[in-house]
Amino acid sequence: MKAKSLVKSFLIFIFSILLAASGRVYSNTPVQKQQETITISGRATDFDGNPIDSCRVSVYYTDFSTAYSAYTDNNGYYSIPEVSKGKYMAVYAMRPEEYPRQLEVPEKDMRLEFWAWNIIADKDLTINPRYHRLELYGTTVFKQNGGYPGIMIYTRPMSLGRMLSYGQKMWENKSEAEAAEIDISVEPDEIEFKVYADDVPVAVQSVQPVMEYVGGGRQMAYLIYVDLPETTPDKYYAFRIEAFNRAYGGEKGENVYFYEIPAYKSGPQ
């Protein structure tokens, strides 16, 4: 009986040593740490492909406060590393002194902003801002379920030329401009849109003007109905919307919206 007890104790001792050794081996094995940040990078250019240096590129939270920011180099390139994964409201890009209310450049050199919306920061992103004198603001992309298999895009174009036509005293102060109900939208017979999904053109089926009321004033927004893209990515599309305003000598603008494909449950096959 005593011999059996000694054998049992010995086996427990050996098992404890083996267990401890295996624990040491496991703890010394390198563990792959999950990457918690991504990099947003790209190149800012005009619509002729010329680089824009000293362009500020900022990632915004929902209250328009800055989460991350960088400036482009002499060749228009920028990089924002160590961006925490998650969703952000927008990426903004512009050379600050070109904004009209800064009053730092002649009117001929003034520009409006580039925006990318609904930023899905789950992997490294490339965003290449292009901006001119037409700004596309408040863009939203959504799919109509149960109807024509297409995509809806809502956006509000804003014309710098139309803003400047009111005279500096009217537009240099934002609150006064809103109180005066300055309308800087683009008329339906002057606007033209092109839409791309992951840089592949998609057909525009219709463009409908929509009246939007901003700061007490009236603005013209648009609802653009486009075909579904021919390819389906794993998670989301990057929709790029280009616009051209035939008025005021021709104004260009574009923005990007990251549209996440809904992960609906499907029924039994």
Side-chain angles (χ1 to χ4, degrees), residues 45-48 52 92-102 105-114 130-135 158-161 163-164 171 250-252:
T45 67
D46 61 21
F47 280 80
D48 294 319
I52 299 176
Y92 153 99
M94 188 180 185
R95 188 185 280 152
E97 63 267 23
E98 293 176 339
Y99 192 72
R101 292 193 176 101
Q102 295 295 103
V105 297
E107 288 189 1
K108 67 179 182 63
D109 295 326
M110 292 178 178
R111 301 288 185 269
L112 293 180
E113 303 124 327
F114 165 90
R130 292 196 302 173
Y131 66 93
H132 187 241
R133 295 170 72 87
L134 184 68
E135 179 181 335
M158 296 189 291
S159 165
L160 177 58
M163 176 192 288
L164 298 178
W171 56 257
E251 298 178 321
K252 298 176 182 178

Side-chain angles (χ1 to χ4, degrees), residues 56-67:
R56 183 186 177 192
V57 183
S58 298
V59 181
Y60 280 163
Y61 294 121
T62 53
D63 62 354
F64 288 93
S65 62
T66 301

Side-chain angles (χ1 to χ4, degrees), residues 170-229:
M170 289 288 286
W171 56 257
E172 67 178 354
N173 182 282
K174 187 175 186 292
S175 59
E176 290 182 10
E178 290 178 349
E181 298 188 3
I182 288 180
D183 184 353
I184 60 173
S185 56
V186 182
E187 297 302 319
D189 58 349
E190 300 290 353
I191 194 79
E192 178 183 338
F193 291 101
K194 293 181 180 179
V195 180
Y196 302 82
D198 298 331
D199 290 326
V200 177
V202 292
V204 175
Q205 294 296 336
S206 69
V207 177
Q208 300 295 328
V210 180
M211 298 314 303
E212 187 179 84
Y213 294 85
V214 181
R218 186 188 73 168
Q219 300 290 317
M220 186 79 72
Y222 289 90
L223 188 62
I224 309 165
Y225 204 175
V226 303
D227 282 349
L228 282 176

